[in-house]
Amino acid sequence: MNKFQRKVSVPIYTMFILLLFGIFGISYTIWGNQSGVRGGKAGAAEAVSESTVGVTKIVWWHAMSGENGKVVDKLVSAFNASHKDMKVEAVYQGSYYDSLTKLKASIGTTIAPTMAQVYDIGTRFMIDSKAITPIQTFIDREKYDTSQMDEAIINYYTVDNTLFSMPFNASNPILYYNKDLFTAAGLNPDQPPVLYEDVKKAATKLTKGGVTGAYFGTHSWYMEQFVANQGAEWVNNGNGRDGLATAWQLNGAEGVKALAWWKELVDNNVAIYSAGKGDTSKKAFAEGKVAMIFDTTAALRDILDSVDGKFEVGTGFFPKPAETASGGVGVGGGSNWILNSKSEEEQKAAWTFMKFLSEPEQQAIFHVNTGYFPITKKTYELPIVQENMKKYPQFKTAIEQHHASKLNKATLGGVLGVYPDARKLTEEAVNQALSGQQSPQAALDAAAAEINAKIAAYNQALQ
């Protein structure tokens, strides 16, 4: 059978998707009028992949909005201008979660795109869907050199020695802090706190005169990174890489330690607690009302623009406890997948576009205009990147943190079929602990129990 042909029938796809959605309580309808089209003028009816005479059309669904979306537009335009026999039509599909939900709904239908950007936590589902052609197929066919790519990033999307998707946007969480407030509080503005105890001391000194020391959005990603930074895995079976995960482990000693430390900051009134992932904290930070926040390195450009020179923005490594020796942060962001329901011609064209996006020149443009760090090593050698580093040294932090992280199962990140659900339940647990409704241990235990039930149902559906 041709490798590019679908391996199962449409009814089997449909049954698989409906079964999973019935288990996890996900309901939706195929959307009517598509909005936010990028890189072309197509609406929903035109989003079906097709080839015109002499031109192969590639429909790419992505989740890049705002300034990041504008950069995507430029990359698409550059590709289309340099590849007259191909045309990429980039379609914005909303948030990562919304985009994946729409993609799930499209599998087995004519509305499915040629390729799709999926956030890191969608990896296991995409593999299990059987709806994709592994990128390894193209790599093996043309002996594509993957040694040019960042090892940790490419390894995240490699499962069972197979690279299933092509990395695109890579990030990690960092500490953002107000250097002016650090100076006023008698703290060294060039030495951001890294250890839990040092963050606590800094937050205590910074909390005065209407300013609060810290404000950390209640994102499950931070909890996962707290655990990885202690060298621990948050799902079993090697973070889901030695076999299908069967248990969520964020309620272990490392997760409880991190959440207890976070709760102590809130209880001592040196950190703000508010349910929400980060937009509110970014706004408060830009207004000078809080001195330290967490956010993705991909928010760097947006944060610098929001502060607009009102104070100097500092960046530091993600916090960890003093006794940590084997930890580090893992790769976040997303990758691009090719749908196997499309013709061999379209899939080859999508692969050509993916290679274009990974080239140093394109990665350099994406990096300096967003804050995502490059997936291709030679990108760092380009003048545009080196000049940007000199002008904005804050860009160095995420890269240095990435390179300093130990390469192990913990920092490679978890692979889990029900990851989006696990994050939602973990965020509920964090909110319950920080608000005092439950202890950190009890809140994380309750979340783990619900997540494990979902994992069991998902694994059962695969049999």
Side-chain angles (χ1 to χ4, degrees):
M1 181 182 288
N2 189 317
K3 289 183 180 180
F4 292 98
Q5 299 304 311
R6 298 179 64 180
K7 298 181 177 60
V8 297
S9 65
V10 169
I12 293 176
Y13 272 132
T14 304
M15 290 176 64
F16 175 73
I17 299 301
L18 290 176
L19 179 57
L20 290 182
F21 290 171
I23 290 169
F24 307 132
I26 301 174
S27 62
Y28 50 80
T29 58
I30 295 291
W31 55 104
N33 182 33
Q34 289 209 36
S35 61
V37 176
R38 298 185 180 279
K41 297 181 179 179
E46 297 173 296
V48 180
S49 300
E50 59 183 20
S51 297
T52 56
V53 178
V55 178
T56 302
K57 182 178 176 182
I58 307 156
V59 177
W60 177 33
W61 286 5
H62 69 85
M64 297 284 94
S65 61
E67 293 302 314
N68 293 351
K70 293 177 182 178
V71 181
V72 163
D73 288 346
K74 292 178 181 178
L75 294 175
V76 168
S77 295
F79 178 84
N80 288 339
S82 60
H83 295 74
K84 299 301 183 183
D85 58 338
M86 304 175 193
K87 180 185 177 183
V88 173
E89 184 177 278
V91 188
Y92 172 62
Q93 294 290 358
S95 69
Y96 280 138
Y97 181 83
D98 291 340
S99 180
L100 181 56
T101 299
K102 291 177 181 180
L103 183 62
K104 289 176 179 178
S106 79
I107 293 174
T109 75
T110 57
I111 202 170
T114 317
M115 58 180 274
Q117 178 197 27
V118 177
Y119 60 161
D120 52 323
I121 68 172
T123 296
R124 182 76 259 175
F125 173 84
M126 293 299 293
I127 294 172
D128 294 336
S129 75
K130 307 297 184 184
I132 56 94
T133 298
I135 296 303
Q136 195 70 48
T137 302
F138 304 94
I139 290 173
D140 293 344
R141 175 172 294 179
E142 64 181 63
K143 294 180 171 57
Y144 181 77
D145 182 16
T146 57
S147 67
Q148 63 182 306
M149 305 186 74
D150 184 292
E151 184 181 9
I153 299 173
I154 201 168
N155 280 348
Y156 181 90
Y157 300 101
T158 299
V159 180
D160 296 330
N161 298 314
T162 298
L163 181 65
F164 282 93
S165 59
M166 190 68 160
F168 173 51
N169 54 306
S171 63
N172 57 40
I174 56 177
L175 175 76
Y176 290 87
Y177 66 99
N178 185 321
K179 283 193 169 187
D180 293 12
L181 290 176
F182 265 59
T183 300
L187 299 168
N188 188 335
D190 297 320
Q191 290 185 359
V194 176
L195 302 180
Y196 286 178
E197 188 59 31
D198 292 336
V199 172
K200 177 184 174 183
K201 290 177 180 177
T204 301
K205 289 186 176 181
L206 290 160
T207 301
K208 59 181 179 180
V211 173
T212 304
Y215 186 177
F216 306 141
T218 53
H219 198 317
S220 174
W221 188 38
Y222 301 151
M223 285 297 298
E224 295 156 25
Q225 298 291 359
F226 281 138
V227 170
N229 224 357
Q230 297 176 65
E233 301 157 12
W234 55 94
V235 293
N236 69 345
N237 292 335
N239 246 351
R241 295 178 178 278
D242 296 333
L244 282 177
T246 59
W248 182 256
Q249 301 177 157
L250 206 62
N251 59 327
E254 295 83 5
V256 173
K257 176 183 288 187
L259 188 51
W261 162 77
W262 190 349
K263 184 178 186 319
E264 184 181 8
L265 296 178
V266 171
D267 289 346
N268 290 340
N269 297 313
V270 297
I272 294 173
Y273 159 66
S274 177
K277 294 186 180 180
D279 289 343
T280 305
S281 63
K282 281 194 292 188
K283 183 175 184 295
F285 180 74
E287 293 172 349
K289 295 179 180 178
V290 295
M292 296 182 290
I293 63 171
F294 294 151
D295 217 311
T296 169
T297 181
L300 177 53
R301 179 62 67 181
D302 180 51
I303 287 174
L304 291 175
D305 290 344
S306 297
V307 172
D308 195 24
K310 293 191 292 289
F311 57 84
E312 187 175 0
V313 176
T315 51
F317 282 18
F318 203 65
K320 61 183 179 180
E323 60 272 21
T324 298
S326 61
V329 296
V331 173
S335 62
N336 284 313
W337 299 73
I338 293 178
L339 279 292
N340 63 15
S341 60
K342 302 304 174 181
S343 69
E344 181 173 343
E345 180 185 19
E346 282 185 58
Q347 292 187 54
K348 285 181 177 179
W351 169 238
T352 298
F353 178 50
M354 289 182 182
K355 290 188 291 183
F356 171 83
L357 292 176
S358 69
E359 292 172 354
E361 293 75 15
Q362 278 62 252
Q363 281 292 301
I365 292 170
F366 195 59
H367 165 66
V368 302
N369 287 287
T370 63
Y372 285 109
F373 47 84
I375 65 171
T376 307
K377 291 181 283 190
K378 286 187 177 180
T379 305
Y380 296 111
E381 301 173 9
L382 298 183
I384 184 177
V385 174
Q386 294 181 356
E387 292 168 5
N388 187 66
M389 292 285 189
K390 291 179 182 178
K391 186 175 181 180
Y392 302 106
Q394 297 95 334
F395 277 81
K396 295 180 181 178
T397 301
I399 296 167
E400 291 174 348
Q401 178 176 243
H402 174 64
H403 291 155
S405 295
K406 306 285 185 181
L407 189 58
N408 53 37
K409 295 285 177 60
T411 58
L412 280 180
V415 181
L416 184 68
V418 296
Y419 217 142
D421 299 280
R423 279 199 169 167
K424 286 180 177 295
L425 288 166
T426 298
E427 284 156 12
E428 291 176 9
V430 171
N431 284 322
Q432 289 178 340
L434 296 183
S435 63
Q437 297 178 58
Q438 286 187 295
S439 70
Q441 183 73 70
L444 292 176
D445 282 346
E450 289 192 60
I451 294 167
N452 289 342
K454 290 182 178 291
I455 293 174
Y458 178 91
N459 291 346
Q460 180 64 36
L462 294 178
Q463 296 178 4

